[in-house]
């Protein structure tokens, strides 16, 4: 099970991307509109005002010059004429490319022409003639034509702006509504995603807990099975020394009835009884290791060879009885120490030795070899038997839980998978050596830290 | 031919074979011991025995195999199994032709008493 809800997650991401894109576009559009407003529309309206004002100043100046013959008005006219021409050209520039600009071209050419004549007459003090042209319908028409054009431009610009504004308002309203809906959608979808993630995490942790419990049960079941399998061998191991103790006790009592036993004879028999009872004690010790749950034990430094040899008290009998040769050779690695949970490590070793035994007990050539190899900070514990290797079609499966090639009732299929997981907990690996001519399992593990520091193999 | 009853003791546990021999000799039996079924069968073929006391699980020929081989010769001495574990049960042992079946640790006196009673029967 995955924590992340795939479909819901993707939908949420898509919604978020679309909303971000729409909002970015709308913001950009609004920015562009405001930019146009600042650079074109507002200056245009301002210009209209300036043009109208200067146009009035021009006509008024001429009328006053005509009626008062004051030359100052002529001067005023000339000054304002340049400002007006300037404003008109600026206005024309702003107007180009604007919607609604296809209105009549703003021109005051006719009015300027007539005004030039009037100005010449005024300068020549021909006031009557100048006043006549000033009041002539030609001049009035020319001025009015210009004024109508500027008014129509002004109206057009305002109308166009109103339209754009109206449109802009509608779009903005639509965007706002969309944004609000999208935000609600985003909040809802992400809340759902987060809730699902939390629920999934909870489910997963419950599942993990269940799996761990199952694993623990499986480990216990596997140990019980191993114990059951070994019970026969152990009973043999224990009953034989018991029979010896029993027999010597009998012998002591019979011989003491018939003869005066010397101290030497008594001592010899007592030693035999003591040694034999120690044989039993070792078996019990081995069993105690096998049956305990060592998964929570602390790691401790132990002598590899000792751990391996301790397990032989449990398995030795069945090897002997079935004529399977058990060969252990640590050579130069007799003093090798490893850091491990000893109970768990013993369980792995017993499991591996038992597997090897089961694999070869029916063969003509029956042997199991155990030896260690030095790899610097690591060492390899090799467990090889006289079998001919693991067939490729089984190899992939043997580390899987519940896989077994043994007969019903003889294997739980948990041994190897659990052994592999315990080795992993010890920072090691459990693998098959494919290059070996026989069946060889290799447990690669780190040496004890003090071992590494001292460089002793 | 002597009147002494000859017993073949078979057990891979050396001390046990020795102990059994000691007690049986104490009772006046003539005892030969062996540590595995194959060797015991060779001894049996070369010498006469009225009684065979054998362990069941042993390397190189177990007790059941030994009894079967002896039977195959057409003989059936008084045959007693002593076993450390439930390798066979009593009825199986009797079916095979064994006189009795003893669990280790065996009370050797019981075994001797049984042999004696079977010999006089």
């Amino acid at each position: 099970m995955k924590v992340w809800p795939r479909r819901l997650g993707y939908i949420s991401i898509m919604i978020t991307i679309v909303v971000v894109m729409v909002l970015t576009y709308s913001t950009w559009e609004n920015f562009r509109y405001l930019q146009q407003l600042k650079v074109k529309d507002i200056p245009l309206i301002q210009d209209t005002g300036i043009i109208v004002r200067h146009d009035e100043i021009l006509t008024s100046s001429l009328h006053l010059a005509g009626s008062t013959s004051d030359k100052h008005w002529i001067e005023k006219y000339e000054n304002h004429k340049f400002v007006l021409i300037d404003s008109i050209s600026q206005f024309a520039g702003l107007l180009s490319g604007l919607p609604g600009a296809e209105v009549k071209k703003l021109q005051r050419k006719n009015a300027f022409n007539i005004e030039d004549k009037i100005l010449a007459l005024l300068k020549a003090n021909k006031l009557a003639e100048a006043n006549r042209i000033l009041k002539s319908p030609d001049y009035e028409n020319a001025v009015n034509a210009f004024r109508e054009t500027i008014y129509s431009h002004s109206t057009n610009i305002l109308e166009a702006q109103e339209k754009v504004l109206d449109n802009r308002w509608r779009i903005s309203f639509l965007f706002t509504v969309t944004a609000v809906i999208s935000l609600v959608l985003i909040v809802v979808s992400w809340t759902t995603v987060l809730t699902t993630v939390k629920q999934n995490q909870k489910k997963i942790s419950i599942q993990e807990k269940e799996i761990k419990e199952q694993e623990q049960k499986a480990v216990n079941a596997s140990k019980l099975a191993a114990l059951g399998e070994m019970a026969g061998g152990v009973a043999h191991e224990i009953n034989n020394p018991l029979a010896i103790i029993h027999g010597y006790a009998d012998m002591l009592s019979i011989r003491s009835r018939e003869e005066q036993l010397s101290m030497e004879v008594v001592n010899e028999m007592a030693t035999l009884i003591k040694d034999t009872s120690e044989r039993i004690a070792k078996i019990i010790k081995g069993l105690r290791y096998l049956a305990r749950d060592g998964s929570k034990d602390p790691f401790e430094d132990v002598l590899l060879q000792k751990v391996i040899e301790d397990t032989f008290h449990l398995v030795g009998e069945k090897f002997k009885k079935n004529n399977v040769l058990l060969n252990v050779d640590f050579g130069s690695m007799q003093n090798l120490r490893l850091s491990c949970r000893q109970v768990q490590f013993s369980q792995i070793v017993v499991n591996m030795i038992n597997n090897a035994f089961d694999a070869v007990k029916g063969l003509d050539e029956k042997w199991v070899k155990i030896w260690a190899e030095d790899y610097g900070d690591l060492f390899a514990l090799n467990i090889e038997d006289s079998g001919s290797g693991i067939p490729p079609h089984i190899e992939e499966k043997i580390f899987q839980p519940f896989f077994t090639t043994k007969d019903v009732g003889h294997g739980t299929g948990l041994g190897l998978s659990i052994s592999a997981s315990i080795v992993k907990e010890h920072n090691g690996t459990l693998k098959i050596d494919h290059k070996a001519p026989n069946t060889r399992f290799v447990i690669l593990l780190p040496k004890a830290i003090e071992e590494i520091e001292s460089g002793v193999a | 031919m002597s009147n002494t009853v000859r017993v073949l003791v078979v057990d891979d546990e050396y001390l046990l074979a020795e102990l059994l021999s000691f007690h049986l000799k104490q009772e006046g039996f003539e005892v030969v011991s062996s540590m595995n079924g194959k060797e015991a069968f060779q001894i049996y073929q070369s010498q006469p025995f009225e009684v065979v006391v054998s362990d069941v699980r042993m390397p190189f020929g177990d007790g059941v195999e030994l009894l079967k081989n002896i039977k195959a010769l057409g003989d059936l001495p008084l045959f007693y199994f002593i076993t450390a574990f439930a390798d066979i049960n009593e009825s199986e042992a009797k079916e095979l032709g064994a006189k009795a079946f003893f669990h280790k640790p065996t009370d050797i006196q019981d075994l001797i008493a049984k042999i004696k009673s079977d010999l006089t029967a």
Side-chain angles (χ1 to χ4, degrees):
Chain A
M1 189 185 199
K2 282 174 182 165
V3 176
W4 176 254
R6 231 174 132 179
R7 190 185 288 180
L8 199 64
Y10 287 149
I11 291 172
S12 301
I13 291 172
M14 290 302 287
I15 290 174
T16 312
I17 291 172
V18 168
V19 168
V20 167
M21 278 167 69
V22 167
L23 288 179
T24 311
Y25 177 70
S26 112
T27 312
W28 172 243
E29 276 294 295
N30 277 333
F31 172 74
R32 265 182 51 186
Y33 169 72
L34 288 173
Q35 183 82 356
Q36 182 179 312
L37 206 65
K38 188 186 161 197
V39 177
K40 279 206 165 172
D41 292 7
I42 292 175
L44 264 175
I45 292 166
Q46 281 173 342
D47 271 1
T48 331
I50 293 167
I51 290 166
V52 169
R53 197 156 58 84
H54 282 87
D55 176 66
E56 277 174 3
I57 291 170
L58 286 194
T59 48
S60 308
S61 301
L62 282 184
H63 277 289
L64 284 167
S67 54
T68 61
S69 72
D70 186 347
K71 294 283 188 279
H72 150 260
W73 294 112
I74 293 171
E75 209 176 297
K76 188 155 186 160
Y77 171 88
E78 282 175 338
N79 286 343
H80 283 275
K81 184 184 174 183
F82 292 113
V83 180
L84 183 59
I85 290 169
D86 219 35
S87 299
I88 289 170
S89 90
Q90 198 183 334
F91 184 82
L94 285 170
L95 206 61
S96 67
L98 209 72
E102 59 280 357
V103 283
K104 277 183 265 171
K105 234 179 162 187
L106 183 65
Q107 273 190 355
R108 205 179 179 278
K109 208 176 169 185
N110 291 341
F112 279 138
N113 285 342
I114 298 171
E115 280 167 358
D116 284 347
K117 281 178 194 168
I118 295 168
L119 217 57
L121 289 168
L122 284 172
K123 283 177 180 169
N125 279 330
K126 293 178 178 169
L127 293 179
E129 184 69 5
N131 279 329
R132 193 188 55 83
I133 300 173
L134 267 170
K135 284 166 191 161
S136 72
D138 277 356
Y139 179 56
E140 206 175 320
N141 287 342
V143 171
N144 282 344
F146 173 72
R147 287 185 181 166
E148 266 168 33
T149 317
I150 190 84
Y151 286 140
S152 90
H153 271 304
S154 172
T155 318
N156 277 341
I157 288 163
L158 283 172
E159 273 175 6
Q161 268 189 356
E162 212 165 295
K163 248 188 200 168
V164 172
L165 203 67
D166 211 33
N167 211 16
R168 181 59 39 199
W169 187 88
R170 268 206 303 272
I171 291 170
S172 293
F173 177 76
L174 211 71
F175 275 145
T176 313
V177 172
T178 316
V180 170
I181 294 171
S182 312
L183 276 174
V184 171
L185 260 174
I186 287 175
V187 169
V188 169
S189 69
W190 284 108
T191 311
T192 319
V193 168
L194 288 178
T195 318
T196 316
V197 165
K198 267 193 176 171
Q199 279 174 349
N200 286 353
Q201 276 174 338
K202 208 174 164 187
K203 274 185 201 163
I204 286 170
S205 78
I206 291 170
Q207 276 178 353
E208 279 173 349
K209 207 177 151 195
E210 280 172 358
I211 288 170
K212 269 204 169 160
E213 280 171 6
Q214 291 289 335
E215 266 179 9
Q216 196 51 49
K217 278 184 192 163
V219 170
N220 290 339
S222 144
K223 271 192 301 197
L224 278 177
L227 265 179
E229 254 175 67
M230 244 171 278
V234 172
H236 228 288
E237 281 278 5
I238 293 176
N239 281 337
N240 270 328
L242 270 181
I244 293 167
I245 293 169
H246 203 278
Y248 275 104
D250 261 358
M251 191 197 265
L252 260 175
S253 87
I254 291 168
R255 285 183 66 176
S256 64
R257 273 203 302 268
E258 292 169 358
E259 55 185 299
Q260 188 70 38
L261 283 178
S262 71
M263 204 63 156
E264 243 174 42
V265 172
V266 174
N267 262 339
E268 192 192 329
M269 289 197 195
T271 309
L272 268 169
I273 289 172
K274 211 173 134 192
D275 288 351
T276 315
S277 60
E278 260 169 27
R279 223 171 104 185
I280 298 174
K282 279 183 183 167
I283 296 161
I284 303 292
K285 194 179 161 196
L287 262 188
R288 193 181 59 199
Y289 269 130
L290 193 75
R292 261 201 57 213
D293 173 13
S295 62
K296 291 182 180 74
D297 286 0
F299 277 67
E300 52 185 334
D301 287 1
V302 294
L303 208 58
L304 175 68
Q305 193 175 6
K306 192 181 172 297
V307 179
I308 305 287
E309 282 174 358
D310 278 352
T311 63
F312 294 167
H313 301 301
L314 289 173
V315 297
E317 177 70 14
K318 69 176 176 187
F319 274 76
K320 199 174 86 186
K321 296 280 182 187
N322 288 278
N323 221 7
V324 180
L325 194 70
L326 183 55
N327 182 329
V328 185
D329 183 11
F330 281 93
S332 63
M333 299 187 74
Q334 278 175 339
N335 297 320
L336 175 73
R337 300 180 79 85
L338 78 149
S339 177
C340 69
R341 294 191 181 114
Q342 199 182 337
V343 170
Q344 283 195 319
F345 189 68
S346 301
Q347 285 164 356
I348 300 170
V349 173
V350 170
N351 177 255
M352 302 297 292
I353 295 177
N354 276 339
N355 280 351
F357 172 84
D358 289 338
V360 301
K361 67 180 175 193
L363 303 179
D364 290 336
E365 194 189 340
K366 298 182 261 195
W367 52 259
V368 176
K369 284 181 200 164
I370 300 172
W371 75 100
E373 279 174 296
D374 195 350
Y375 288 104
D377 292 352
L378 306 172
F379 72 91
L381 180 66
N382 299 282
I383 297 154
E384 183 171 325
D385 62 54
S386 52
S388 51
I390 307 287
H393 68 283
I394 289 176
E395 198 186 302
E396 289 172 12
K397 300 178 195 163
I398 58 166
F399 289 106
Q400 289 170 9
F402 302 108
F403 177 80
T404 182
T405 55
K406 293 178 188 173
D407 295 339
V408 176
H410 284 93
T412 57
L414 284 164
L416 260 184
S417 75
I418 289 170
S419 292
S421 72
I422 293 176
V423 171
K424 208 173 159 192
E425 278 176 33
H426 282 71
N427 298 319
T429 54
L430 168 57
K431 281 182 179 158
I432 302 166
D433 186 348
H434 305 285
K435 289 172 196 155
N438 296 92
T439 312
R440 186 189 298 171
F441 284 90
V442 183
I443 302 176
L444 198 66
L445 280 168
K447 291 176 186 169
I449 289 169
E450 63 174 63
E451 194 90 350
I452 296 165
E453 282 169 356
S454 65
V456 178
Chain B
M1 199 171 152
S2 137
N3 284 337
T4 320
V5 175
R6 288 174 56 82
V7 183
L8 177 60
V9 170
V10 194
D11 200 310
D12 62 322
E13 192 75 55
Y14 169 74
L15 286 174
L16 262 182
E18 284 292 292
L19 273 165
L20 276 167
S21 303
F22 166 82
H23 288 284
L24 286 163
K25 279 176 186 164
Q26 286 281 315
E27 296 297 322
F29 294 105
E30 195 180 325
V31 185
V32 176
S33 67
S34 167
M35 283 180 69
N36 67 65
K38 264 186 192 158
E39 186 197 57
F41 184 57
Q42 282 172 357
I43 295 171
Y44 184 87
Q45 279 175 299
S46 62
Q47 300 168 32
F49 290 98
E50 286 85 14
V51 179
V52 179
V53 179
S54 173
D55 187 11
V56 179
R57 251 205 247 179
M58 286 176 293
F60 306 110
D62 61 32
V64 174
E65 207 182 301
L66 173 65
L67 176 53
K68 281 181 182 166
N69 286 339
I70 290 172
K71 273 166 73 184
L73 294 173
D75 284 4
L76 188 53
L78 296 176
F79 201 102
Y80 301 90
F81 279 123
I82 41 170
T83 175
F85 193 60
D87 300 314
I88 52 166
N89 59 38
E90 193 157 6
S91 62
E92 281 169 342
K94 288 203 167 152
E95 215 167 282
L96 281 165
K99 272 285 171 194
F101 170 93
F102 291 90
H103 280 294
K104 288 177 187 174
T106 319
D107 189 328
I108 299 174
Q109 300 313 318
D110 286 353
L111 170 70
I112 290 169
K114 175 73 179 149
I115 293 172
K116 279 183 175 170
S117 84
D118 285 341
L119 280 169
T120 51

